[in-house]
Structures are given as C-alpha cells and as structure tokens.
Amino acid sequence: TVWRTSPSFSKRTCIESRSMLFSVDAHAIGCHLTGNEVYIRNLLDQYARLDRESRFLTFVSKTDAVELIPESFKKVRVSENPFVRLGVDIPLLLRNHRPSLIHVQYTAPWNCRTPIITTVHDVSFLEHPEFFTSFRANQLRITVAHTVKRAVRILTPSEFSKRAIMRVYGVSEDKVVVLPNGVSPEFRPIKRDNAQGWVRGKYKVPGPYVLTVGDLQPRKNYVRLIEAFASVMREYPKLSHHLVIAGKAAAWYEPTVRKA
C-alpha cells in the first residue's frame, strides 16, 4: 500500500518518539533512471541493514516502488510531476511530519526548512551542457545551485567530483563529503564458462566481446567508442571480438548511436 497521508505517522508521533525520523526523496525508484535509481535503492537497503532504531519516511512516485523499498520504511506517494512533487507534495509532508533531515539527489524542494543532505554525483550538466537537452541543463543549473547553497552537507562519490563542486559553487571543503559508491554483492567473480554460457543462452552473444554498460546518452561517448573499435578491427582483422553495448535507450540520441 502507498499512502498519501498516514494518520498513524502523525506529528505527535514524530515528536514523542525517541528515534530519529529521516526522510528520503525516493521518486527515482521505479522510474528506470539508471544510476540514480540504483543508488537510492541500495542506499535505502543499507539504511535498513545498518540502522534498526531510526525511522524512515520515503517519498515515491511509482506504485510498484513500494516492493523495492525495505518493508519497515513508511512510503508516501507523491506526484510524478517534478514541479508538483518538489513545489507542493514534499514541502507539505515535511511540515506535517517534521523529519530530522531530508536526503535528495541533486534537487531539493524549493521552499524547504528541513535540513538538506544532497547527493551530487557530478556537475557534467555545467561542464558539458551539450550532453543534455537545453531544458534539462538549464533546469539543473538553477535547481542544483539552489540546493547546494542550502544543503548542510553535499555527498559525492569521488575526489574529482568534490573538487568540481567546490570550484563551480564556491562551497567550503568541509561541506562536501566524499562517499565512494559501494559494489553490490551481485557483482562477484564466477567461472568464465558459466558466464559465457549464460550470456550466449540469454542474449545470443558469442564471445569474445568488449562490453560497455550505460544509457545511450551523449556523455557516455558511444560514438567515439564505436569509431575506436572499428579502427582497431580494421588494423587487426584477425580479431574475432564483438562490441556489446548494454544500456537504456534515450529517444532523442539513440538514432545517432545506431547510425555510428
């Protein structure tokens, strides 16, 4: 069940309980947003594993997201429309439930008095806006700057991204915390023959092959990869390798990759 309001989770409950209440914008779950969705799903799973005392309030936009979030967490449905979600739904829920903080990726509600922890994976939308639609690049330029300015802490996965955030936003070093991304237990060594047999059976891909994983966006530089692979194959025609690209298609850029 997904609740828009939860009577049993009232302001009085939040105030009287000794455990802390954390809220998380988990709208990416169920939206097939590749890295952002994987990140928040694993973050919630680890919260549930490591912290059994605190309470968590998650904001979701998709009904089936409930099945992907730890059972013990409260799930509240918010709009799929980002303007409604960030401008109306989440601010109202924050005022009603008064959590200790809210965690977001990149963009927080515009009017938010709750302490903000934001994860900014990178600032490619500023350094390479050509990799995004003009609307998306401009939207991120405005909303992320507003979020970073108000955040009490900014999380990012690498020192490289930390330096970029400090440079473009002028924030102090102690405000940006590097938390390298973890590796899921699903990624583990297995016998090569088993792996090859599974790939051949499911995807009909013969070996050997070069594999790249990522959605078909300009910033993944697939066109240059395809050109480089073709160049190697021309220079070494005896190689029997294939190039395998696994990733979510982007309607506006996929034809460019396929044409390459």
Side-chain angles (χ1 to χ4, degrees), residues 152-178:
V152 295
R153 287 293 184 275
I154 303 160
L155 310 182
T156 196
S158 69
E159 288 290 342
F160 178 86
S161 291
K162 176 178 180 175
R163 297 301 170 187
I165 292 168
M166 292 170 57
R167 181 175 65 254
V168 299
Y169 294 116
V171 296
S172 61
E173 183 172 5
D174 60 352
K175 188 174 181 177
V176 187
V177 180
V178 175

Side-chain angles (χ1 to χ4, degrees), residues 107 123-145 169 252:
T107 301
V123 291
S124 56
F125 54 90
L126 292 176
E127 298 183 326
H128 295 284
E130 68 275 13
F131 293 164
F132 299 79
T133 63
S134 57
F135 175 82
R136 181 61 172 164
N138 287 327
Q139 176 256 306
L140 288 171
R141 178 177 57 82
I142 296 170
T143 60
V144 177
Y169 294 116
W252 66 284

Side-chain angles (χ1 to χ4, degrees), residues 9-257:
F9 210 55
S10 65
K11 291 189 288 185
R12 181 178 178 182
T13 301
C14 296
I15 294 171
E16 293 180 349
S17 174
R18 294 182 179 179
S19 60
M20 296 186 70
L21 173 63
F22 299 108
S23 60
V24 180
D25 183 355
H27 77 276
I29 298 180
C31 293
H32 307 294
L33 294 178
T34 59
N36 287 348
E37 180 171 354
V38 172
Y39 177 88
I40 197 64
R41 283 180 58 182
N42 281 279
L43 188 66
L44 293 177
D45 286 343
Q46 295 309 308
Y47 277 154
R49 184 177 70 86
L50 297 173
D51 189 344
R52 299 184 183 277
E53 295 183 0
S54 300
R55 293 168 300 124
F56 292 85
L57 174 64
T58 58
F59 306 128
V60 297
S61 295
K62 298 290 187 180
T63 302
D64 56 0
V66 173
E67 301 175 359
L68 303 173
I69 295 175
E71 185 178 355
S72 60
F73 292 2
K74 295 290 183 181
K75 299 93 176 174
V76 181
R77 184 74 179 271
V78 294
S79 175
E80 294 184 33
N81 183 310
F83 298 101
V84 177
R85 183 184 80 249
L86 296 171
V88 180
D89 290 353
I90 294 182
L92 179 60
L93 289 163
L94 293 176
R95 286 196 296 270
N96 288 341
H97 297 304
R98 299 182 183 179
S100 300
L101 61 82
I102 179 172
H103 174 272
V104 302
Q105 293 187 82
Y106 291 105
T107 301
W110 197 260
N111 295 314
C112 179
R113 296 182 179 181
T114 303
I116 298 167
I117 304 292
T118 181
T119 294
V120 178
H121 300 285
D122 60 60
V123 291
S124 56
F125 54 90
L126 292 176
E127 298 183 326
H128 295 284
E130 68 275 13
F131 293 164
F132 299 79
T133 63
S134 57
F135 175 82
R136 181 61 172 164
N138 287 327
Q139 176 256 306
L140 288 171
R141 178 177 57 82
I142 296 170
T143 60
V144 177
H146 188 68
T147 299
V148 165
K149 180 180 179 180
R150 295 177 300 141
V152 295
R153 287 293 184 275
I154 303 160
L155 310 182
T156 196
S158 69
E159 288 290 342
F160 178 86
S161 291
K162 176 178 180 175
R163 297 301 170 187
I165 292 168
M166 292 170 57
R167 181 175 65 254
V168 299
Y169 294 116
V171 296
S172 61
E173 183 172 5
D174 60 352
K175 188 174 181 177
V176 187
V177 180
V178 175
L179 289 178
N181 292 330
V183 179
S184 170
E186 295 180 358
F187 298 98
R188 62 190 186 279
I190 62 175
K191 292 184 178 180
R192 182 180 295 272
D193 291 343
N194 292 345
Q196 291 176 337
W198 186 86
V199 171
R200 282 196 300 267
K202 185 173 179 63
Y203 297 106
K204 313 301 180 185
V205 176
Y209 56 85
V210 176
L211 172 67
T212 179
V213 179
D215 53 347
L216 304 185
Q217 297 283 358
R219 57 195 174 91
K220 302 299 183 180
N221 211 7
Y222 280 129
V223 172
R224 183 61 60 86
L225 172 63
I226 293 170
E227 292 173 349
F229 184 81
S231 177
V232 170
M233 297 305 292
R234 285 194 297 269
E235 188 170 352
Y236 301 96
K238 292 184 178 181
L239 290 176
S240 58
H241 290 66
H242 299 267
L243 175 62
V244 178
I245 300 175
K248 176 185 175 183
W252 66 284
Y253 190 69
E254 181 185 1
T256 301
V257 177

